[in-house]
Amino acid sequence: QKEVEQDPGPLSVPEGAIVSLNCTYSNSAFQYFMWYRQYSRKGPELLMYTYSSGNKEDGRFTAQVDKSSKYISLFIRDSQPSDSATYLCAMSLYGAGNMLTFGGGTRLMVKP
Amino acid sequence: ETGVTQSPTHLIKTRGQQVTLRCSSQSGHNTVSWYQQALGQGPQFIFQYYREEENGRGNFPPRFSGLQFPNYSSELNVNALELDDSALYLCASSKGGQGGTEAFFGQGTRLTVV
């Protein structure tokens, strides 16, 4: 069993939909939770970073962390075709940029 | 402020050869990490350098080695290449070592081993 599990998709939604992306994890010691977006043949781009439990909002993006359930989520409101990409969750014990453990990624397609 | 840059973008090597990949960290960042991303998978942590010292390593064999230089740029070296080493190699930089800032990634080097 992988330390971080993520549904690979693909997830296909119409433009304007609310998208929910999720990860579960097994290591309760993780303290830092990140979401990255990766376009084809590009490096991952940091979207959101949360320390410990709680919610964080940035524009159309909301990240939620539930440490009691070992479950994190990323919500995208008013999804756009430009949001079509692979979304990676990442976690760390040591710091937001340190020794990250990634999920396998969820491929999202937003159709016009 | 310049971002993380990696070179080369692509390369093809033969099984058994050695390869060196390079990374320039983002301005002001003193920590560099390397990741291997196989096709259709998430990145896997190889190792991390902080102020020229390796301070963390993932589950990779010793034929994966690295260096960090005084200007915080870094190299990843892979010896005795195997077909399974074919992947996108990603470099990420951050500031402050453990407990430090978020990591920002370069565009990656796509390595093909034939």
Side-chain angles (χ1 to χ4, degrees):
Chain A
Q1 186 185 3
K2 292 184 179 179
E3 219 171 351
V4 179
E5 298 277 1
Q6 194 172 1
D7 188 331
L11 177 62
S12 182
V13 301
E15 182 175 354
I18 295 175
V19 175
S20 172
L21 303 165
N22 311 294
C23 287
T24 58
Y25 61 95
S26 56
N27 188 344
S28 58
F30 284 136
Q31 294 274 34
Y32 299 85
F33 303 92
M34 280 66 63
W35 284 96
Y36 285 85
R37 176 174 64 194
Q38 186 174 28
Y39 292 111
S40 182
R41 299 186 174 274
K42 300 289 187 183
E45 170 194 9
L46 180 66
L47 289 173
M48 305 280 288
Y49 146 51
T50 308
Y51 172 70
S52 193
S53 282
N55 295 354
K56 189 170 186 178
E57 188 173 321
D58 184 0
R60 296 186 295 114
F61 298 92
T62 299
Q64 290 185 350
V65 175
D66 181 349
K67 290 189 71 179
S68 62
S69 301
K70 298 196 195 93
Y71 188 87
I72 71 170
S73 300
L74 177 71
F75 297 95
I76 306 174
R77 290 181 297 280
D78 187 24
S79 56
Q80 302 295 311
S82 58
D83 294 328
S84 297
T86 295
Y87 288 79
L88 297 157
C89 63
M91 309 179 186
S92 174
L93 287 72
Y94 308 106
N98 280 254
M99 296 177 242
L100 305 180
T101 300
F102 281 86
T106 298
R107 188 171 152 224
L108 172 67
M109 294 186 294
V110 181
K111 296 185 175 179
Chain B
E1 179 179 281
T2 57
V4 179
T5 58
Q6 293 185 241
S7 63
T9 306
H10 301 84
L11 75 165
I12 300 173
K13 288 285 188 177
T14 302
R15 188 173 49 183
Q17 284 188 317
Q18 178 265 344
V19 70
T20 297
L21 310 182
R22 293 179 174 84
C23 171
S24 294
S25 60
Q26 185 165 311
S27 176
H29 285 185
N30 55 16
T31 304
V32 172
S33 304
W34 286 91
Y35 294 81
Q36 180 194 67
Q37 186 176 25
L39 196 62
Q41 306 291 321
Q44 282 199 305
F45 173 68
I46 302 174
F47 45 57
Q48 175 173 294
Y49 279 84
Y50 172 61
R51 291 184 176 177
E52 300 179 61
E53 297 284 335
E54 183 182 300
N55 74 339
R57 190 176 184 93
N59 189 26
F60 280 81
R63 61 190 185 82
F64 286 78
S65 63
L67 283 173
Q68 187 179 32
F69 300 100
N71 66 354
Y72 303 127
S73 66
S74 178
E75 284 182 358
L76 164 66
N77 299 291
V78 187
N79 293 322
L81 283 166
E82 301 176 0
L83 297 178
D84 283 351
D85 295 333
S86 296
L88 181 68
Y89 287 85
L90 295 162
C91 168
S93 75
S94 58
K95 188 163 57 175
Q98 290 190 10
T101 66
E102 312 91 286
F104 294 90
F105 284 80
Q107 80 282 10
T109 293
R110 186 161 298 279
L111 172 65
T112 302
V113 182
V114 297

